[in-house]
Amino acid sequence: MNNFYNIIAYNRQGEVQSVESTYDSWQAVELCLALSEEFAYAEQINPWGKHCGEYGDRPVALGQRAY
């Protein structure tokens, strides 16, 4: 089982501001929350592109997430 997470932070215009990576699921949650507070929105994505979580208000420029 691969527990690798990319956390991508976006500003209100939907531009990438920061990308962090971790193998720890709890650290991924903490990073996602901290980055969303700093930049407006952050989401967790696994290596296969599966959405694993998010915090903040998703920018309109990113469109609706397809689950």
Side-chain angles (χ1 to χ4, degrees):
M1 186 167 163
N2 187 348
N3 291 330
F4 184 80
Y5 302 92
N6 284 316
I7 298 89
I8 306 166
Y10 300 90
N11 63 14
R12 295 197 186 283
Q13 290 75 37
E15 300 164 338
V16 174
Q17 300 298 301
S18 179
V19 177
E20 302 285 337
S21 300
T22 184
Y23 285 99
D24 184 274
S25 63
W26 185 247
Q27 185 179 26
V29 170
E30 291 177 334
L31 278 170
C32 193
L33 178 59
L35 289 172
S36 73
E37 290 174 344
E38 184 175 350
F39 296 111
Y41 176 76
E43 63 182 350
Q44 298 174 35
I45 306 291
N46 72 14
W48 298 276
K50 182 180 176 200
H51 176 78
C52 299
E54 65 187 346
Y55 282 102
D57 296 320
R58 186 172 175 83
V60 175
L62 296 178
Q64 292 292 323
R65 170 158 298 287
Y67 291 97

